[in-house]
Amino acid sequence: MNGCTRPRRSVVLLALASVLFGCTSPRDRTPQVRELYARTALRTARNPVVVIHGILGARLEQRSTGRTVWGAFTSEAVDPNSPDGARALALPLSVPEALHALPREVADVVATGPLRAIQLGIVFTVINVGVYVDILRSLGVGGYRDRIVLDPSSPEYAEDHFTCETFFYDWRRDNVENAMAFGQYLDATRRGIQARAQGRIDKLRSEGGEAAEQEAAELEQWLADGFRFDVVAHSMGGLMARYFLRYGAQDLPADGSLPKVTWAGAEWIDRMVLVGTPNLGAMESLQTLIEGFSPGLFLPHFDAAVLGTMPSIYQLLPRGGQGLVVDEDGKQLDVDPRDPALW
């Protein structure tokens, strides 16, 4: 008996020792991105990164009242379960001559910035829950600094340093409409970067010196070669970015046909990273259109009738022919949730 116990005890002790001393933790195996990119993080002559948030990822505010429609649930925000709050959150159901729901220029509710936190009023306290800022912080580790969300641990840059931009949009609206707006945003952003880069070149040349001249020449060559953007798109933002990459800023044909694939977006986009993008659709959108949406504890419920006015939710429905829809017995159904006849 003792002869059998000792080997087993030795094996257990050896295994314990290997865990404590011989194995590295996942944290130890994590690449030290900050150290790897410490030098390149200070370079200006590289592709700027554009971050695109997903559904719910932008703060919505009402122009006429200044109240928050999405992004805060305090006494100063609209109540989505009140008649006025529901009307503010919903999109108009009337069909204009154009394909899109409502011109941005006359819309009362607009996106005012990326959602960094949700403000929740409980008694007299306000709780901030981080939602979107983690993506920008991760990019900040690699030296990409955003103008809106600054991570204190990121390297310091000059005011004319351009590495990271954020495209925020009204996530309730048609993804095609937002893709078209994205094209306009890239055009304006490119022109802004070119102007700032030229200003940087002129400043360096006025300072003189070998190092300044070398940086100015590098930037000048970068502008001459032409630059494109690297895109990091989260969730539904990836669907919008994919549309722009394939079709550019062209609208959907009025006759209901598919637009022609031109890959016009490749003129603007060099690399694109999709993070959690539902390329085959999301079953949660089907549930949302039927049952509504409850974001979490202490947060109000959003009625399905209000959410049903938002084109983007329908565009998140699963594709047909993927076997994603089953009946109560678990049998796959050959249906397309996006077909109006099904509803």
Side-chain angles (χ1 to χ4, degrees):
M1 179 70 68
N2 291 338
C4 296
T5 303
R6 288 179 181 174
R8 290 179 181 174
R9 185 177 300 170
S10 299
V11 171
V12 172
L13 291 176
L14 181 61
L16 180 60
S18 67
V19 170
L20 294 177
F21 305 107
C23 299
T24 58
S25 65
R27 181 183 298 272
D28 296 330
R29 294 195 296 268
T30 301
Q32 299 301 313
V33 179
R34 192 181 304 277
E35 286 74 11
L36 290 173
Y37 294 99
R39 295 181 62 183
T40 57
L42 298 177
R43 295 186 59 186
T44 54
R46 59 176 178 172
N47 286 347
V49 170
V50 176
V51 179
I52 307 176
H53 61 77
I55 194 168
L56 306 179
R59 185 182 183 92
L60 302 180
E61 293 185 3
Q62 191 174 35
R63 285 173 170 169
S64 58
T65 64
R67 304 182 73 184
T68 300
V69 176
W70 167 256
F73 301 99
T74 64
S75 58
E76 292 79 19
V78 301
D79 179 6
N81 292 317
S82 69
D84 289 341
R87 281 192 290 268
L89 182 62
L91 288 174
L93 291 177
S94 58
V95 180
E97 294 181 3
L99 292 176
H100 305 307
L102 187 67
R104 294 170 181 266
E105 294 76 13
V106 299
D108 188 29
V109 176
V110 294
T112 58
L115 185 64
R116 290 176 282 179
I118 293 179
Q119 294 183 328
L120 173 62
I122 303 179
V123 190
F124 298 105
T125 62
V126 176
I127 300 175
N128 288 333
V129 182
V131 175
Y132 172 69
V133 71
D134 289 342
I135 294 178
L136 297 177
R137 283 177 175 168
S138 298
L139 286 169
V141 172
Y144 291 95
R145 193 188 75 162
D146 184 80
R147 299 175 184 277
I148 300 175
V149 180
L150 300 181
D151 186 354
S153 64
S154 296
E156 293 294 331
Y157 299 111
E159 291 183 0
D160 56 1
H161 188 79
F162 35 84
T163 50
C164 187
E165 305 284 344
T166 301
F167 175 68
F168 59 90
Y169 58 95
D170 187 342
W171 43 265
R172 304 172 303 165
R173 301 167 75 104
D174 178 16
N175 279 316
V176 175
E177 177 190 357
N178 284 322
M180 296 168 65
F182 181 55
Q184 298 172 356
Y185 169 85
L186 290 182
D187 180 57
T189 301
R190 177 187 277 178
R191 286 187 278 108
I193 289 176
Q194 289 170 336
R196 291 198 303 274
Q198 187 59 56
R200 176 70 174 171
I201 292 170
D202 296 340
K203 181 180 179 181
L204 289 168
R205 291 264 163 79
S206 66
E207 293 175 353
E210 183 178 351
E213 176 59 33
Q214 182 178 356
E215 183 180 348
E218 182 182 5
L219 275 175
E220 201 166 47
Q221 186 62 50
W222 180 65
L223 285 179
D225 293 340
F227 66 88
R228 291 179 290 172
F229 296 91
D230 293 338
V231 173
V232 178
H234 175 241
S235 188
M236 188 180 72
L239 300 181
M240 185 191 68
R242 279 183 52 203
Y243 182 95
F244 179 78
L245 183 63
R246 288 167 60 86
Y247 307 111
Q250 65 173 310
D251 201 349
L252 291 172
D255 60 5
S257 62
L258 293 176
K260 181 181 179 180
V261 178
T262 61
W263 296 107
E267 175 189 347
W268 301 90
I269 298 175
D270 188 11
R271 304 176 184 89
M272 188 166 69
V273 178
L274 305 182
V275 182
T277 295
N279 292 297
L280 294 180
M283 289 300 297
E284 290 83 356
S285 61
L286 179 59
Q287 182 178 1
T288 295
L289 289 170
I290 296 174
E291 300 178 358
F293 175 60
S294 295
L297 190 64
F298 302 121
L299 298 181
H301 177 78
F302 292 81
D303 193 83
V306 173
L307 302 179
T309 67
M310 305 176 185
S312 62
I313 298 181
Y314 296 94
Q315 293 167 337
L316 286 173
L317 286 170
R319 295 183 179 182
Q322 302 296 325
L324 300 177
V325 181
V326 299
D327 60 16
E328 62 273 11
D329 298 323
K331 181 181 178 181
Q332 292 182 348
L333 300 177
D334 185 17
V335 297
D336 185 356
R338 299 175 299 172
D339 185 357
L342 177 66
W343 294 82

